[in-house]
Amino acid sequence: MEILPVTKKPFRLTFWKSVFFLILIAGLYSTYIRFFYGLGAATNLSDCFPWGLWIGFDVLCGVGLAAGGFTMAALVYIFNIKKFKPIVRPAILTAFLGYLLVIFALLYDLGRPYNIWHPLIMWNPHSVMFEVGWCVMLYTTVLALEFRPVVLEKFHLHKPLKVIKSALIPPVILGVLFSTLHQSSLGSLFLIVPEKLYPLWYSPLLPVLFFVSSVAVGFAMVIFESYLSARAFNKHLEKPLLMELARVVVFILSLYLILKLQDFARRDAWHYLFINRPETYLFWAEMLLGVLLPLVLLATPRIRRHSVALFWSVLLVISGFVLNRMNVSITALESYSGAHYFPSWMEISITLMIVALGFAAFRWIAKNFPIFQAEKVPALPSIRQIPIVLESKEKINKQETLN
Amino acid sequence: MGHGFLIDVTLCEGCEACMDACHEIHGQPDTENYELSALNYTVIKNINIEEEDIYYRRMCMHCQTPSCASVCPVGAFRKTKEGPVIYDASRCMGCRYCMIACPFDVPKYEWESRNPRVHKCDMCYQRIKQGKLPACAEACPTGATLFGKHEELIRIAQERLQNDPERYYPYIYGLKEAGGTSVLYLLPVKPTELGFRLKGFQQTFPQFTWRVMKEIPNVVTFSGVFMYGLWWIINRRIELQKLDVETSGRELTSKEDDNGNSSGN
Ligand code: SF4
Ligand code: SF4
Ligand code: SF4
């Protein structure tokens, strides 16, 4: 697992590259329509349906899927479970890119994107959106701080590296705080419309449910991306670590399930589960395929040990999470609004473009920066050469460099 | 409490003078569209109940505790002391949360614009500050739209209910709805028949959010201290273990270390 020198290969148009370019072209065209002819021309949004795919997917899902950054940071730095260290960097990178893309997507969705900075000076502490805005901003800053070591290592700047490592804990704690706040607040956004949100989803527990599900999906994403990276970069899969993370996912999904049951019991909303309506089916899909099934799968040791099965199980968790956020932000509002909303192709193309840009950026950074080889970069060259089998020494060294 | 409207639906004849006056004063074209929109701050709705045509106005209710003002991240909405809830486009960043949150679905958007604004009735704020009547109230030929001091309007409404119980459904819509609104309605039928919401509506909606928001400082302090403590304790134990290791000759099989570490974790 050396850092291979990046050899310049002649450009080849592979299948995925052509898909990427097609998406990019469609996205750029839609961008032009969006900014020159307004939201109405590019989207299927209307006075009846002011929030659509961009809020539901790009923002609500985007922020949630990037939750791996704070959960892994908490695990490694606060709970001090150092063995997860090899996968903390990719998680932080995903989170950092995720948040940048969420902000990028917001520029499309906001009617007046050039005023995006207004919450800095125009305060309304009663507004959940205000709080989310601040937290996202501050947490993105924290992520940038957490990401600095990667850049410094790349350019072999060991002195500032030491300084950063000596003061690692405060930013990590702040990061966890900001994340907890805005992950839950995305749920609080909908607290103010009890009469509009379909009762399968409206709950006073929305912030808690949003938070818990984001933690679960954060870990699921870490497994997901480790699997993909292992394949894409031909690197060794940290299987024992991922298996352990899968157990954490099981634990959190169970917690989520219990909360959901409690919530239904408290609101006495059971009968909504059996009404013949689209909402009901989507709710069942979300709970059965996105929570219950992966819960059973991941609780099975045989599946956890099998990396492909593990991959598909966490993919279920991720899809369930996406479905949940889309349900809360779109499905649940449909019956009240009386309008049917389905995103226009331009909305979809811009979302696809943003996702594709995320993948491309991840790939490029992972190739050019020490993301996966974090512990291999020589800070103390002589000791670093001890093979990985002697884990004990490794650990001691890690702790030394950290403290 | 300021000013407000009393809309007496039994007096409304559907002449649309209010709509026209509102269009005129805002330089909006007359339309055949009877939905609230960026070009319609007020509309006349028509419903036929038991062979009887009922006409009623829809407009911003100018809530006492407006959801739109509560949710706006940049404070673009504001309840004025005169009564109107007004919007300041120069602050707005266009997130459209106000449209989601308004319990009466009032704020509407300029979807086709490159520089869009939110639109809704502002109770003719500029006019009433000069002591004039709102354009629609001035135009109304039957007195179905009455403008005045809120307390005064409540008194009038109560009097009408008392003097003419046959004519009205005995309820002043807007006294309690969404925590009270500056616009009050007297109706000939049960409000729900006109699509006015009643069930679960006699409460301020921003409280649902505030109940959670006000806990944030507690959550932050508590979990901040908790996490720091956690880190400190765990780290301390690991340090101590390391000392042990160092004094016992620096050599260690990986198995021992695993045991030592797992108890630390
Ligand atoms: S009716 Fe809607 S727009 Fe009007 S003040 Fe109330 S919350 Fe705001
Ligand atoms: S659209 Fe404008 S006025 Fe409405 S909540 Fe967002 S920033 Fe405030
Ligand atoms: S008060 Fe003014 S803005 Fe509101 S409906 Fe009447 S005329 Fe239109």
Side-chain angles (χ1 to χ4, degrees), chain A residues 35-36 40 46-47 50-51 77 80 109 111-112 114-115 118 124-125 127-128 131 169 189 193 196 336 403, chain B residues 69 71-72 89-97 100 102 105 109 111 114-117 209 213 216 231 235 239:
Chain A
F35 285 106
F36 283 84
S46 66
D47 280 338
W51 280 359
Y77 297 110
N80 237 321
D109 186 73
R112 303 168 152 237
Y114 38 85
N115 285 347
H118 274 185
N124 179 11
S127 164
V128 184
E131 189 227 314
I169 297 304
L189 280 180
V193 287
K196 293 190 189 184
Y336 172 86
N403 296 316
Chain B
V71 300
C72 178
S90 68
R91 298 175 82 103
C92 176
M93 54 182 203
C95 66
R96 310 185 298 285
Y97 191 14
I100 295 278
C102 169
D105 297 309
Y109 211 52
W111 291 101
R114 254 190 255 182
N115 186 16
R117 279 172 301 173
T209 317
M213 296 279 290
I216 286 177
W231 169 78
N235 199 48
E239 298 262 292

Side-chain angles (χ1 to χ4, degrees), chain A residues 358-370:
Chain A
F359 271 99
F362 186 92
R363 201 182 144 85
W364 184 81
I365 296 178
K367 272 191 170 171
N368 292 289
F369 284 82

Side-chain angles (χ1 to χ4, degrees), chain B residues 9 12 30 32 41-42 55 77 91 107 125 134 138 175 189 196 227 238:
Chain B
V9 174
C12 181
D30 283 334
E32 292 298 306
Y41 296 172
T42 182
Y55 295 95
F77 280 103
R91 298 175 82 103
Y125 185 52
E138 198 174 71
L175 267 191
V189 292
F196 287 46
M227 278 189 290
I238 292 177

Side-chain angles (χ1 to χ4, degrees), chain A residues 190-224:
Chain A
F190 297 92
L191 285 178
I192 200 164
V193 287
E195 83 287 17
K196 293 190 189 184
L197 219 63
Y198 192 72
L200 279 172
W201 289 284
Y202 185 85
S203 150
L205 285 185
L206 267 173
V208 185
L209 291 169
F210 263 55
F211 175 70
V212 174
S213 53
S214 80
V215 174
V217 86
F219 287 125
M221 277 296 282
V222 172
I223 299 175
F224 174 81

Side-chain angles (χ1 to χ4, degrees), chain B residues 5 18 21-22 25-26 41-42 57 59 62 120-124 134-137:
Chain B
F5 287 107
C18 52
C22 184
I25 191 164
H26 293 103
Y41 296 172
T42 182
R57 280 186 73 181
M59 61 195 290
H62 298 282
K120 73 169 198 69
C121 154
D122 66 349
M123 215 192 264
C124 289
C136 54

Side-chain angles (χ1 to χ4, degrees), chain B residues 14 30 52 58 67 76-77 86 89 99 124 146 158 162 183 196 207-208 210 218 221 249 253:
Chain B
D30 283 334
E52 188 110 28
R58 246 170 75 53
S67 295
F77 280 103
I86 56 168
M99 306 178 64
C124 289
L146 206 61
Q158 281 163 347
Q162 232 160 39
V183 177
F196 287 46
Q207 61 160 332
F208 289 101
W210 189 240
N218 289 336
T221 346
T253 68

